[in-house]
Amino acid sequence: MSEGMTFWSRRGFLRGGAAMLAAVPSAAWAGAPSVSLRPKPRPREFHKRLISAPEQLINASGLRGRVAYTVAHVESGLVLESRDSAVGLPPASVMKAITALYALEALGADYRFQTRLLATGPVAGGELRGDLVLMGGGDPTLDTDALAALAGKLKAAGVSRVTGRFLVYGGALPYQRVIDSGQPDHVGYNPSISGLALNFNRVHFEWRRTGSSYGVAMDARSKNYRPAVAMSRVAIVNREAPLFTYKDAGGRDEWTVARAALGKGGSRWLPVRKPEAYAGDVFAALAKSKGVSLPAPKVVDGAPRGTVIASVASAGLREILRDMLKYSNNLTAEMCGMAATVAREGRAVSIAASAAAMQRWAQQSMGMGRAKLVDHSGLGAASNVQAGDLARALALAHKSTGLPQMLKPIAMRHDNGKVNRAHPVKVHAKTGTLNFVSSLAGYLTAPDGTELAFVIFTADEEARARIARKDRERPQGGAAWNKRSKRLQQKLIERWGTIYGT
């Protein structure tokens, strides 16, 4: 029976046919009917009986692998429905919701990261008679525009020239070459991590073909500036594969790219492996444009001491985390997670060690006793989270943290894939996607206003294990699998909104 079907035609037939029945010879009705011909009214909530059972939805999805979920009432924390809720599966970027809660508790919603300029000597006659230090403060959102503002403040402080050295320090957070070593070298979502990060530690690579040759540009573009970058270079090589290669050339990142893949022109972001050198390179160029002459930047390991002569601050942490959840930025998650560990424990020696600290916090504060966390972003598939534990944690966090308002709205869709803006169920959640892993966790509001916390994990770990490292950016079959998972996620959410929305 399809939704919205009514019974007026049947009742009309029974009423309108009374005269016809009266004309039938009575012999035909010698035996009284054992069941009343009058239709019985449908019981209350009859429509709920028409909703497919979870196993029917899963079987109909054609999704290979494992499906685990839990849905709970946010007010009582009562688990309403679950499947394999104690099985640990990769959370993918759903991990960022845990990281957001961790950072908010450790740092506070109004916390702001500071990037500073220190002077080791006095400023007189336009000269800084000493060293200038660019001091990273762990800001994951620092961009070229902010560095330009900092260069302008340096000029306003009366500095036109530095007699000493130009030092760059990023040790507020430990350096890590990549977030996840299993990813291809060239993907921009897997950059290096440091206490000084610029443009999410990515450099913009652009190419244009003119005749038989290519013009190549590497820049640190942001909204208002596009300074050229010297510390990262790309050479075009006559080959078909691999697409990119990387080499650490001392003070520079050196890339090669396959000519066969370039076409007429295009652009992409490449990861930066030397964050401090990148930021120092760009700041020197921006300072020069403001009329300030600086020596070549020198990266230092120890934190220099000096007097703060200029600084720029990030937005408040809540805003940073909201954007992290919206755009699913891995660098922001790792830097905020490690900054939270530094605030709680005094130091963070690596992503893995900081993730272990976040794991202890999740076990003690959020009741996630079986979680295994290897990073803060979910990029590493070795993390395992149980749907039941996370759903109860989300229910617990519903009112006390403001997390629902930080999560982005998830569009519900028609069967043809188009967004259904009139859909009666509203969802705010965090998505998570890895190759053959798709997750969704957050909150749904049913048509009657009932609020539920939910977690859906899907994973085909056998298919994921078969992917060669070089193919992990776009593995065969991955997009189709992900599409089936997202359709199943919506079907489950629609079921819950109808069944439990009263």
Side-chain angles (χ1 to χ4, degrees):
M1 185 181 296
S2 63
E3 182 179 346
M5 182 176 289
T6 58
F7 290 84
W8 67 269
S9 58
R10 184 175 175 213
R11 289 195 293 267
F13 169 79
L14 291 174
R15 289 195 299 269
M20 294 170 56
L21 292 174
V24 176
S26 60
W29 296 87
S34 60
V35 179
S36 170
L37 297 178
R38 182 179 302 229
K40 295 181 180 180
R42 290 182 295 176
R44 292 182 62 188
E45 301 186 346
F46 176 80
H47 64 291
K48 294 186 179 183
R49 301 184 184 181
L50 307 179
I51 303 299
S52 296
E55 293 303 318
Q56 290 177 301
L57 296 174
I58 293 169
N59 292 337
S61 72
L63 190 70
R64 300 185 311 275
R66 189 183 290 273
V67 177
Y69 60 76
T70 297
V71 60
H73 198 282
V74 297
E75 294 294 337
S76 64
L78 177 67
V79 173
L80 303 172
E81 191 170 296
S82 66
R83 182 182 196 267
D84 283 349
S85 62
V87 174
L89 289 174
S93 284
V94 162
M95 177 76 79
K96 294 180 176 73
I98 303 172
T99 300
L101 295 172
Y102 180 59
L104 282 172
E105 181 174 295
L107 300 171
D110 298 324
Y111 181 83
R112 294 174 185 267
F113 299 93
Q114 301 281 338
T115 303
R116 299 171 294 162
L117 289 175
L118 275 60
T120 64
V123 176
E127 288 187 342
L128 192 170
R129 296 174 182 174
D131 297 336
L132 177 70
V133 184
L134 175 60
M135 197 90 168
D139 183 0
T141 64
L142 184 72
D143 64 6
T144 300
D145 284 1
L147 272 193
L150 191 60
K153 291 182 178 183
L154 178 64
K155 178 68 173 179
V159 176
S160 296
R161 190 167 69 89
V162 173
T163 62
R165 300 167 298 172
F166 172 36
L167 306 179
V168 184
Y169 176 73
L173 298 176
Y175 171 80
Q176 192 147 329
R177 182 180 176 276
V178 295
I179 298 171
D180 176 37
S181 60
Q183 301 294 327
D185 285 333
H186 62 276
V187 291
Y189 56 76
N190 190 34
S192 295
I193 301 297
S194 164
L196 180 57
L198 179 65
N199 300 328
F200 305 111
N201 278 343
R202 301 178 306 172
V203 62
H204 191 261
F205 165 45
E206 187 170 7
W207 64 94
R208 290 286 182 271
R209 188 171 71 187
T210 303
S212 60
S213 63
Y214 282 91
V216 173
M218 301 285 277
D219 64 59
R221 67 179 55 193
S222 57
K223 183 178 179 181
N224 298 309
Y225 295 87
R226 294 187 179 184
V229 172
M231 58 70 59
S232 187
R233 299 179 181 178
V234 175
I236 298 172
V237 178
N238 285 321
R239 66 168 187 256
E240 293 191 2
L243 179 59
F244 284 92
T245 66
Y246 171 79
K247 183 175 74 173
D248 183 338
R252 295 193 307 274
D253 289 337
E254 288 198 354
W255 298 88
T256 70
V257 60
R259 177 184 292 269
L262 295 182
K264 293 182 178 179
S267 65
R268 69 173 294 154
W269 291 93
L270 290 173
V272 166
R273 302 292 178 222
K274 300 180 181 300
E276 292 89 354
Y278 178 46
D281 185 7
V282 173
F283 183 79
L286 293 168
K288 183 177 181 180
S289 72
K290 305 286 185 182
V292 181
S293 178
L294 297 180
K298 176 179 175 57
V299 177
V300 292
D301 294 328
R305 295 185 178 182
T307 302
V308 177
I309 58 172
S311 66
V312 289
S314 72
L317 182 64
R318 182 178 294 277
E319 183 178 341
I320 291 173
L321 295 175
R322 184 195 64 206
D323 286 348
M324 176 196 74
L325 293 167
K326 180 178 180 180
Y327 300 110
S328 206
N329 187 274
N330 293 329
L331 176 139
T332 301
E334 299 302 341
M335 292 182 68
C336 287
M338 286 200 288
T341 297
V342 171
R344 286 175 55 87
E345 302 194 356
R347 66 172 187 161
V349 297
S350 67
I351 288 176
S354 180
M358 187 169 79
Q359 176 181 307
R360 293 190 293 272
W361 168 84
Q363 291 169 344
Q364 296 163 6
S365 300
M366 305 301 292
M368 298 176 61
R370 296 167 290 187
K372 176 187 175 184
L373 310 182
V374 302
D375 60 26
H376 309 88
S377 63
L379 187 58
S383 290
N384 280 283
V385 172
Q386 293 70 29
D389 286 356
L390 182 54
R392 285 185 287 270
L394 291 175
L396 179 67
H398 179 256
K399 287 188 176 179
S400 60
T401 64
L403 180 62
Q405 292 74 37
M406 295 168 61
L407 295 170
K408 69 178 181 181
I410 303 296
M412 302 294 279
R413 297 180 181 274
H414 295 285
D415 289 340
N416 62 7
K418 293 183 179 180
V419 172
N420 181 1
R421 302 190 186 282
H423 200 287
V425 177
K426 306 301 179 186
V427 178
H428 286 78
K430 181 71 192 80
T431 58
T433 304
L434 295 171
N435 294 326
F436 295 100
V437 173
S438 180
S439 306
L440 187 67
Y443 305 94
L444 71 88
T445 303
D448 70 340
T450 299
E451 292 182 288
L452 307 175
F454 72 90
V455 176
I456 306 171
F457 290 152
T458 64
D460 187 345
E461 294 181 281
E462 291 183 3
R464 178 176 174 79
R466 291 193 295 267
I467 306 169
R469 184 173 181 267
K470 65 183 179 62
D471 297 327
R472 289 179 184 172
E473 190 172 12
R474 292 185 183 88
Q476 186 174 7
W481 187 94
N482 183 261
K483 184 179 290 187
R484 285 192 289 270
S485 178
K486 291 188 178 302
R487 287 174 179 166
L488 174 60
Q489 290 165 7
Q490 173 160 323
K491 294 295 184 184
L492 289 171
I493 288 170
E494 289 174 328
R495 167 186 165 77
W496 299 331
T498 301
I499 294 290
Y500 304 112
T502 57

